[in-house]
Amino acid sequence: MKKQIDTRKPQMFKDELPEQVFQKARRIIDLKNLGPESEKTFLKAGVKTPAQLVKMGWKKAMIKLCKISPKNNHSLFAYAVIGALQNKMWNQISDADKLSAREFMKNLRDKAKK
């Protein structure tokens, strides 16, 4: 049986520093954790390049993404965005980042309910 190669994520970014990744990345999909559906959502929110994402940071990005679709308002998506900005898998971000994401997303949900 022939082994299939996973071509969804560029392997060239595997162990690079975030700064190196953002110099090479041209599309949102080039970042860890963010696939084609995420890229579509980012584009709808007006975030077209990795450089724009870096400039705005994960909190502003999450606010924009949640305005586009309330289904994006959850901690795991925030973990993915934070991980993308750090060139880490979402489950490898620090506990402090996870706590910050949970608190921020809860506040966004609470504001949306009002």
Side-chain angles (χ1 to χ4, degrees), residues 10-96:
Q11 294 299 310
M12 65 183 159
F13 298 152
K14 186 176 179 186
D15 296 319
E16 294 183 36
L17 296 172
E19 299 80 30
Q20 295 169 319
V21 171
F22 291 114
Q23 288 174 356
K24 294 177 185 177
R26 299 291 174 242
R27 296 175 54 196
I28 298 293
I29 197 172
D30 292 335
L31 304 176
K32 282 189 179 180
N33 306 313
L34 304 176
E37 291 303 314
S38 296
E39 184 176 56
K40 288 177 191 175
T41 305
F42 274 91
L43 293 173
K44 286 180 188 176
V47 183
K48 296 180 171 97
T49 66
Q52 286 178 306
L53 176 58
V54 170
K55 187 175 180 179
M56 78 173 44
W58 73 268
K59 289 181 180 180
K60 287 182 182 176
M62 290 308 300
I63 290 169
K64 284 183 166 245
L65 294 167
C66 291
K67 283 182 183 176
I68 294 299
S69 176
K71 76 175 185 167
N72 296 319
N73 195 337
H74 58 85
S75 301
L76 288 178
F77 196 37
Y79 291 2
V81 174
I82 294 168
L85 291 170
Q86 297 175 2
N87 195 36
K88 294 179 180 178
M89 295 307 294
W90 67 269
N91 59 347
Q92 294 176 332
I93 65 172
S94 72
D95 289 339

